[in-house]
Amino acid sequence: MTVAEYIANQLFNQGVRYVFGIPGGPSIPYMEAFRSAGIEFILTSNEAAAGIMADVTGRLTGIPGICHATFGPGATNITTGIGGALLDRSPVIVFTSEMSDNMLNRTTQMNINHQKLFEPITKATYRLNTDNIVNVIQSSFRLCKGEYPGPVHIGLPADISGMTVEDKISTGYMTESTYIHNNRDKVISLLENSRRPVIAVGLTAARLGLGDELLLLLGMYKIPVILTPMAKGILPEEHPCYSGVLFHSLSDYLEDLYQKTDLIIGLGYDPVEFNYESWIPDVPVLHFDTRETDMPAGLNATQFIGPSEEWFELLYNLNSGSLIFEGSLIKGIRDEMASVFNGFTSHFGPVGALKVLRDELPEDTILTADVGSHLHLIGQYWDTCESGKLIMTNGWSSMGFGIPAAMSAQLNYPDATVVCVTGDGGFLMMAGEIITMRRYNLPVIVVVFSDGELNLIKIKQSWKELPAYGTLLYQSDLFGADEFLGIKVLNADSIEGMRTAVIEALSVNEPVIINAVIDPEDYKWLIVRR
Ligand SMILES: Cc1ncc(C[n+]2csc(CCOP(=O)(O)OP(=O)(O)O)c2C)c(N)n1
């Protein structure tokens, strides 16, 4: 078997069905091997999109997402998606072409050191050869899926694709995470002594799919729950313990709740989304995780690092007799947030546009969001019925995420309704991917909130009492036509126009752009100043 065939077969056997990327010359034997093995090579317009598609494939399927780029500029382009896989905790393997041994340290076209490039943004980076191939490929799969999941880079020297590989058993490079079990007594005492705990649920809990365990716990003890944006969907939003989402629109309303607590319980809470010290009052933190996390000096924090079943065993030690549940406070906060949002639904701003989408789209729609003011709004306002139905990046937070994320969701779930909401700035970063959508006929509905500006940055300028500067995207109209790269553009500048556009977009089984020309004024009132 050749190197290329060995890799393709290993990927297929692990369940991989897509490789995302843009080829260079040395990629050709690999692409041919993928094709023969039953793996489709999905060509993107920019490697950044390929990296993001691999990230989202990894998140949605649990099978590592695979992407590929050529030397130098291909590799640097793809790093945008790889950084995302690292900070949004997603299993990804990225292959890049590297110079052959004899050219590696020479001055030559496209040559940079990929091992150094990927070192800070991956869990591990390897350069493949025929001696290490079996270990590298097999252990990369395990490593990228281990806690926390993340990306692994494998450099493919340009001259090895046709060399022969002997299949042998991997001796493994893998390191397992270590658990800390030495503070059970401290954990139990914190739980027993707390009367007003608040549970903050984060990305790790969502990734581990702990919704049922959480519901069981809340069935035993009524405790307020707040979520980070990437944990949305883990708890139904009508649940009496659901209080709201941290960090996004109107999250300052939650302060009334957590200022009263005597213990913050971080349940699979990943500070990559929002550091504890940025919001918690001066109370102890009890942090349940699968991996030790860094805590700032001065924080009264106790970490319990172990498998999630053990978190819940310990949580059953809460002192039910003395717990005080602020049910009416939670209801008050939720009602107040709802009434503020409702106040913005009668004109065509971002809240009005989102309301039409929520009214018209099936409940189980997969929504992908880009990064900007619109994400802050979606994070709080978009009612999310289950995990996996709202896909965002809040660890890496790269603009341009929404469109490739939607394409990836649609490829993996061909029958799902998939919608991307993006700002116009984020759209422009990935506009070339509209042709990818068309090429693979991915019937994604791309909703562009067109306000002509980088709104979130403009808002931050205004907080400093500075004029808007360097944030204007265009004068007049974004598209200036009713088609873009062969895809229909439906224009909406009113609530009624938006409703008509959404209904039309749902009725055709092809990619569609809705150009929602919104008044961005709402954001000024809804984005929380931090
Ligand atoms: C790749 C990247 N570049 C820059 C930023 C910083 N940034 C965050 S939000 C934002 C503005 C986004 O504008 P737009 O896409 O129009 O969305 P809006 O804020 O208007 O909703 C910028 C520049 C980022 N997060 N990612």
Side-chain angles (χ1 to χ4, degrees):
M1 205 184 307
T2 65
V3 165
E5 288 164 350
Y6 177 80
I7 293 176
N9 288 344
Q10 287 292 316
L11 297 186
F12 188 84
N13 292 342
Q14 295 281 346
V16 172
R17 294 297 175 266
Y18 301 109
V19 172
F20 306 97
I22 300 184
S27 320
I28 293 168
Y30 295 96
M31 294 163 75
E32 191 49 29
F34 295 149
R35 195 171 68 81
S36 305
I39 295 171
E40 191 174 1
F41 186 86
I42 302 288
L43 175 68
T44 57
S45 299
N46 186 305
E47 292 88 347
I52 294 167
M53 291 182 80
D55 161 1
V56 172
T57 293
R59 293 190 205 186
L60 290 177
T61 65
I63 298 167
I66 311 292
C67 53
H68 171 64
T70 190
F71 306 118
T76 55
N77 274 351
I78 213 164
T79 56
T80 294
I82 303 310
L86 186 76
L87 291 195
D88 292 324
R89 321 303 193 191
S90 177
V92 163
I93 299 177
V94 50
F95 292 93
T96 65
S97 301
E98 291 188 358
M99 296 291 156
S100 52
D101 286 351
N102 61 330
M103 292 307 290
L104 192 61
N105 297 317
R106 298 284 314 281
T107 303
T108 190
Q109 191 186 37
M110 301 174 102
N111 188 18
I112 54 161
N113 186 330
H114 287 196
Q115 296 299 318
K116 283 195 179 155
L117 175 68
F118 284 97
E119 194 272 331
I121 53 168
T122 52
K123 292 179 82 172
T125 172
Y126 304 111
R127 178 171 164 88
L128 210 71
N129 60 48
T130 50
D131 288 333
N132 71 9
I133 183 168
V134 175
N135 270 353
V136 167
I137 298 294
Q138 294 183 10
S139 60
S140 293
F141 268 97
R142 287 158 62 197
L143 189 57
C144 72
K145 287 194 281 185
E147 282 297 309
Y148 299 157
V152 172
H153 168 250
I154 301 176
L156 304 169
D159 55 349
I160 71 165
S161 61
M163 292 179 181
T164 305
V165 179
E166 263 179 64
D167 202 351
K168 45 189 177 200
I169 304 297
S170 163
T171 49
Y173 283 156
M174 174 70 183
T175 51
E176 298 285 353
S177 56
T178 45
Y179 291 143
I180 302 171
H181 287 288
N182 55 4
N183 50 10
R184 275 174 189 275
D185 292 346
K186 175 89 187 290
V187 172
I188 290 170
S189 127
L190 280 167
L191 291 171
E192 280 181 348
N193 289 319
S194 174
R195 302 188 72 198
R196 296 171 181 273
V198 165
I199 300 180
V201 182
L203 166 55
T204 307
R207 183 181 62 247
L208 297 175
L210 300 180
D212 288 346
E213 289 82 348
L214 178 63
L215 276 175
L216 200 68
L217 179 72
L218 299 177
M220 296 169 68
Y221 306 111
K222 286 214 171 342
I223 308 165
V225 174
I226 49 188
L227 305 181
T228 65
M230 288 183 82
K232 254 178 100 79
I234 197 168
L235 184 67
E237 296 186 14
E238 55 285 354
H239 192 284
C241 296
Y242 174 80
S243 312
V245 173
L246 277 172
F247 177 70
H248 277 175
S249 297
L250 305 183
S251 57
D252 44 348
Y253 283 60
L254 293 169
E255 279 178 33
D256 285 350
L257 180 70
Y258 58 70
Q259 289 298 346
K260 285 189 166 181
T261 185
D262 58 9
L263 178 68
I264 299 283
I265 301 174
L267 192 74
Y269 182 97
D270 189 335
V272 73
E273 282 195 84
F274 197 28
N275 282 315
Y276 281 119
E277 68 268 28
S278 303
W279 64 279
I280 62 163
D282 187 16
V283 297
V285 178
L286 175 52
H287 176 82
F288 290 96
D289 208 333
T290 54
R291 207 190 72 172
E292 196 173 1
T293 196
D294 66 302
M295 291 284 181
L299 202 72
N300 180 1
T302 303
Q303 300 204 38
F304 182 85
I305 310 303
S308 58
E309 306 82 63
E310 295 187 14
W311 311 350
F312 285 95
E313 274 169 32
L314 285 162
L315 281 163
Y316 300 146
N317 284 295
L318 276 158
N319 188 346
S320 60
S322 67
L323 285 183
I324 299 170
F325 178 60
E326 299 276 4
S328 54
L329 178 59
I330 294 175
K331 188 173 175 316
I333 290 170
R334 281 168 40 177
D335 287 351
E336 226 175 313
M337 280 190 190
S339 105
V340 174
F341 284 130
N342 283 340
F344 288 101
T345 52
S346 52
H347 73 287
F348 196 53
V351 184
L354 282 179
K355 180 167 189 313
V356 172
L357 286 170
R358 192 64 291 185
D359 288 349
E360 300 300 333
L361 294 174
E363 198 193 338
D364 60 356
T365 294
I366 300 177
L367 186 82
T368 70
D370 209 77
V371 172
S373 295
H374 61 284
L375 176 63
H376 284 245
L377 183 53
I378 289 168
Q380 196 69 261
Y381 182 63
W382 188 257
D383 191 353
T384 307
C385 63
E386 59 178 287
S387 287
K389 299 298 184 204
L390 175 60
I391 303 176
M392 67 172 78
T393 169
N394 198 41
W396 183 240
S397 296
S398 174
M399 286 168 73
F401 172 85
I403 287 177
M407 293 197 294
S408 184
Q410 191 77 79
L411 262 181
N412 285 295
Y413 298 109
D415 298 330
T417 303
V418 179
V419 176
C420 163
V421 173
T422 175
D424 35 13
F427 173 82
L428 289 168
M429 283 192 183
M430 285 290 167
E433 300 306 334
I434 294 297
I435 210 81
T436 311
M437 244 175 231
R438 187 176 117 191
R439 183 164 51 244
Y440 297 101
N441 193 25
L442 300 171
V444 170
I445 302 174
V446 178
V447 182
V448 187
F449 279 8
S450 297
D451 53 16
E453 61 195 25
L454 300 173
N455 183 269
L456 189 58
I457 307 303
K458 187 175 147 185
I459 286 189
K460 291 183 180 183
Q461 287 170 329
S462 76
W463 290 342
K464 293 179 189 293
E465 294 180 7
L466 292 170
Y469 178 69
T471 48
L472 179 72
L473 288 167
Y474 49 87
Q475 284 90 8
S476 176
D477 186 28
L478 172 60
F479 292 98
D482 55 11
E483 241 188 46
F484 178 73
L485 297 178
I487 296 297
K488 194 181 284 185
V489 175
L490 304 172
N491 292 295
D493 59 6
S494 65
I495 298 280
E496 305 71 48
M498 181 75 185
R499 204 173 296 281
T500 310
V502 176
I503 292 167
E504 182 175 344
L506 282 169
S507 72
V508 293
N509 194 28
E510 58 189 47
V512 182
I513 295 169
I514 297 179
N515 178 32
V517 184
I518 53 152
D519 171 4
E521 271 300 291
D522 304 1
Y523 289 135
K524 213 166 62 187
W525 309 106
L526 297 171
I527 305 288
V528 176
R529 190 169 177 156
R530 295 196 304 117

